[in-house]
């Protein structure tokens, strides 16, 4: 069996600012303070982004505070699906890549994302990209701060759910940031890096990606992995 693990933001979709607005609204609801600035988000998990953003505002947060934030974030995403759909979009080739893999025997697809699971599901549902994703198999922001641990979590969950002894060489992580590349390398799995985020293909290759593409319209690396 082959396991493909997708990052979401800037790999499969772009929210075009709606995600940041929701984060800011949830942050203010939880802390009582308007968000003046947000911590670096690329490749980070939601708990880390929240904690570091709180620190930028002189706020010390705990796990209970993050759980409150996560609940409010999920609610706001549900309330703003129209905005997500109108302002955001699926990235070029995303739907076709998911469908192409789903048509192949022995390929299972899930996600490794810094988003909490409810938000991950909403984001992909909004753009019709959820059909082929096994969400119970994935690794999510609430599972661990370390992205490499999210990869390991997804592999363990997939093995447990399917009964298959998934080899690390048969796992492909797909993402758009050096943090995605580093997580895959730390977990011992190949990484396909997509230059649809803020990092160029050259920089992603230098970070150690197994293969790079400009966008998901280039399905050659995916086909090579399956073969």
């Amino acid at each position: 069996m082959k396991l493909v693990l997708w990052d979401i933001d800037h790999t499969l979709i772009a929210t075009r600012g709606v995600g940041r607005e929701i984060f800011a609204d949830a942050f203010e609801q939880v802390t009582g303070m308007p968000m003046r600035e947000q911590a670096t988000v690329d490749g980070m998990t939601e708990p880390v982004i929240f904690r570091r953003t709180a620190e930028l505002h002189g706020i010390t947060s705990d796990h209970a505070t993050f759980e409150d934030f996560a609940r409010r974030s999920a609610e706001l995403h549900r309330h703003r699906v129209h905005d997500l759909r109108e302002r955001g979009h699926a990235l070029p080739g995303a739907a076709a890549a998911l469908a192409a893999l789903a048509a192949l025997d022995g390929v299972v697809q899930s996600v490794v994302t810094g988003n909490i699971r409810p938000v991950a599901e909403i984001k992909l549902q909004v753009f019709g990209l959820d059909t082929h994703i096994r969400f119970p198999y994935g690794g999510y922001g609430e599972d661990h701060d370390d992205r490499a641990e999210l990869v390991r979590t997804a592999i363990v969950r997939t093995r447990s759910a399917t009964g298959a002894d998934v080899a690390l060489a048969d796992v492909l992580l797909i993402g758009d940031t050096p943090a995605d590349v580093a997580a895959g390398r730390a977990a011992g799995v190949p990484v396909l890096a997509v230059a649809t985020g803020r990092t160029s293909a050259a920089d992603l290759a230098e970070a150690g990606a197994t293969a790079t593409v400009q966008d998901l319209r280039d399905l050659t690396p995916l086909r090579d992995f399956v073969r």
Side-chain angles (χ1 to χ4, degrees):
M1 192 180 78
K2 303 280 188 176
L3 173 62
V4 177
L5 298 170
W6 294 93
D7 173 53
I8 294 178
D9 294 296
H10 303 295
T11 298
L12 289 172
I13 70 162
T15 66
R16 302 297 295 273
V18 179
R20 190 182 192 281
E21 291 171 9
I22 291 173
F23 187 102
D25 288 345
F27 182 86
E28 184 170 1
Q29 288 178 18
V30 170
T31 66
M33 184 180 293
M35 189 180 80
R36 300 187 306 273
E37 59 181 319
Q38 186 180 34
T40 301
V41 300
D42 283 2
M44 298 295 105
T45 62
E46 199 81 344
V48 173
I49 298 167
F50 176 77
R51 185 169 64 246
R52 292 181 180 175
T53 300
E55 289 169 356
L56 291 173
H57 293 74
I59 299 169
T60 300
S61 62
D62 56 20
H63 185 67
T65 307
F66 173 73
E67 287 186 333
D68 190 11
F69 168 84
R71 283 192 296 271
R72 292 168 189 259
S73 176
E75 290 170 1
L76 288 167
H77 276 85
R78 293 187 190 99
H79 292 155
R80 295 195 62 181
V81 291
H82 177 76
D83 293 333
L84 285 166
R85 188 175 295 114
E86 290 299 308
R87 289 169 53 186
H89 59 89
L91 289 169
L98 288 161
L101 289 173
L104 301 173
D105 290 337
V107 178
V108 172
Q109 301 179 77
S110 191
V111 292
V112 163
T113 174
N115 290 288
I116 60 172
R117 179 173 167 179
V119 170
E121 293 182 358
I122 292 164
K123 284 181 174 180
L124 293 186
Q125 287 166 0
V126 163
F127 301 109
L129 302 179
D130 59 311
T131 307
H132 306 302
I133 297 295
R134 305 287 184 90
F135 288 104
Y137 299 1
Y140 302 93
E142 67 267 32
D143 291 322
H144 204 283
D145 286 355
D146 183 354
R147 207 172 184 94
E149 286 300 323
L150 303 188
V151 178
R152 297 184 184 102
T153 295
I155 294 170
V156 169
R157 285 174 174 163
T158 303
R159 286 171 174 166
S160 177
T162 63
D165 185 16
V166 184
L168 295 182
D170 290 329
V171 178
L172 180 66
L173 179 66
I174 305 177
D176 67 285
T177 70
D180 293 311
V181 176
R185 288 174 59 87
V189 306
V191 183
L192 171 61
V194 188
T196 42
R198 297 179 180 89
T199 308
S200 69
D203 287 344
L204 290 166
E206 187 174 346
T210 311
T212 62
V213 291
Q214 288 298 326
D215 61 46
L216 291 170
R217 289 175 291 194
D218 182 358
L219 294 180
T220 303
L222 286 175
R223 293 192 180 104
D224 290 345
F225 169 72
V226 172
R227 285 199 294 267

